[in-house]
């Protein structure tokens, strides 16, 4: 069975601080995809990144970076120099190799204070 | 800019009433997913269709929920009779795995309140 754990329920930081959101996953599949989604207060789910199980290179996109480590089954997300607009709930998700069963973590609510 | 659309965006209804939520997937996508989001359970997969055929609805309470895809441009999720515990945000998503590397495109959601 697939499972995604986001142990941090809520995080609060002050603007310009760096913050890392943790994600740990469980799967028996050797091929899988990991995702991060952002859910701002407006409620929609915004796709941030996808990573496949064969690509362990870290990725940076502006102030966002992702650290994928298969050895620890983790796919952590770091926001550098956080801004108030980063305040949202962030979800980590795992999908099976057939692209059917996507499992979401419980989400981490990030609040960035001015 | 192709998007998944959902109607209605908000629905308030009384317990016992029938509720129908609609989703228009992105043109060309062959897989449609229904999710429910609550504070207690988070985001749960209820059901999904591929090429209009139901593949899995094991996440859905069978006695009152039903999901259909009458044509390629419309997916529906029906609750009959509705109960207060059904209050949640219902998201529809579409994709065409393995295209786009399995990304699912989410609609804006239907916020359902059952009183």
């Amino acid at each position: 069975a697939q499972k995604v754990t986001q142990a941090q329920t809520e995080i609060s930081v002050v603007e310009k601080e760096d913050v890392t959101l943790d994600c740990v996953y469980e799967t028996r599949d050797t091929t899988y995809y990991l995702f991060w989604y952002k859910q701002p207060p407006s409620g929609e789910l915004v796709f941030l990144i996808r990573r496949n199980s064969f690509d362990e290179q870290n990725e940076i996109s502006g102030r966002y970076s992702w650290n994928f480590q298969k050895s620890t089954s983790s796919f952590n997300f770091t926001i550098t120099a956080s801004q108030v607009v980063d305040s949202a709930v962030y979800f980590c998700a795992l999908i099976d190799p057939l692209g059917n069963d996507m499992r979401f973590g419980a989400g981490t609510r990030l609040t960035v204070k001015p | 800019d192709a998007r998944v659309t959902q109607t209605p965006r908000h629905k308030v209804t009384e317990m016992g009433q029938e509720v129908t939520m609609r989703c228009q997937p992105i043109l060309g996508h062959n897989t449609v997913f229904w999710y429910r989001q609550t504070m207690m359970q988070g985001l749960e997969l209820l059901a999904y269709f591929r090429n209009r055929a139901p593949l899995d609805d094991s996440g859905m309470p069978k006695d009152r929920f039903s999901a259909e895809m009458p044509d390629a441009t419309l997916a529906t999720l029906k609750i009959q009779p509705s109960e207060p515990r059904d209050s949640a945000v219902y998201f529809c998503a579409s994709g065409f795995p393995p295209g786009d590397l399995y990304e699912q495109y989410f609609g804006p959601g239907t916020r359902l309140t059952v009183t």
Side-chain angles (χ1 to χ4, degrees):
Chain A
Q2 303 195 125
K3 184 179 177 183
V4 176
T5 301
Q6 293 179 257
Q8 304 149 308
T9 306
E10 294 191 33
I11 300 175
S12 182
V13 299
V14 176
E15 212 171 15
K16 297 186 182 153
E17 285 184 18
D18 298 347
V19 58
T20 295
L21 310 182
D22 297 333
C23 173
V24 174
Y25 62 92
E26 295 174 31
T27 180
R28 293 180 185 162
D29 297 315
T30 55
T31 302
Y32 50 88
Y33 282 81
L34 294 159
F35 296 80
W36 276 95
Y37 284 87
K38 174 182 180 179
Q39 188 173 42
S42 53
E44 73 271 27
L45 282 160
V46 179
F47 166 79
L48 294 178
I49 191 172
R50 138 195 65 241
R51 175 63 79 222
N52 76 54
S53 52
F54 296 107
D55 182 0
E56 288 195 69
Q57 282 193 344
N58 292 332
E59 181 155 342
I60 298 174
S61 176
R63 296 184 297 107
Y64 295 171
S65 62
W66 290 269
N67 184 348
F68 175 33
Q69 293 199 350
K70 281 181 81 169
S71 59
T72 56
S73 297
S74 64
F75 186 41
N76 296 338
F77 172 31
T78 297
I79 302 175
T80 303
S82 59
Q83 299 177 1
V84 173
V85 293
D86 296 327
S87 297
V89 180
Y90 291 85
F91 292 95
C92 180
L94 168 69
I95 200 164
D96 71 329
L98 294 178
N100 297 330
D101 188 6
M102 182 177 270
R103 297 297 172 109
F104 284 84
T108 297
R109 181 178 298 277
L110 173 65
T111 302
V112 182
K113 299 177 182 176
Chain B
D1 186 20
R3 290 174 184 258
V4 175
T5 58
Q6 290 185 248
T7 57
R9 294 294 309 277
H10 302 272
K11 176 74 176 178
V12 179
T13 191
E14 292 184 349
M15 182 173 65
Q17 297 297 306
E18 178 178 299
V19 175
T20 298
M21 291 169 270
R22 294 177 175 80
C23 167
Q24 182 172 16
I26 292 173
L27 191 64
H29 283 187
N30 66 349
T31 308
V32 175
F33 305 83
W34 282 105
Y35 292 89
R36 177 172 62 183
Q37 185 178 28
T38 62
M39 290 295 294
M40 294 300 295
Q41 301 296 327
L43 272 159
E44 305 172 276
L45 178 65
L46 295 176
Y48 59 91
F49 293 75
R50 179 152 298 140
N51 298 320
R52 297 177 53 200
L55 284 192
D56 191 332
D57 61 1
S58 58
M60 207 163 65
K62 300 290 190 308
D63 54 339
R64 298 180 300 107
F65 284 60
S66 62
E68 293 180 348
M69 202 160 173
D71 63 61
T73 63
L74 177 65
T76 62
L77 180 66
K78 192 174 294 187
I79 308 174
Q80 168 63 22
S82 57
E83 297 181 2
R85 59 181 167 148
D86 301 328
S87 297
V89 179
Y90 291 82
F91 287 100
C92 172
S94 72
F96 58 108
D100 267 3
L101 301 177
Y102 299 104
E103 182 178 341
Q104 295 183 14
Y105 296 78
F106 283 81
T110 294
R111 182 175 295 276
L112 173 65
T113 303
V114 183
T115 61

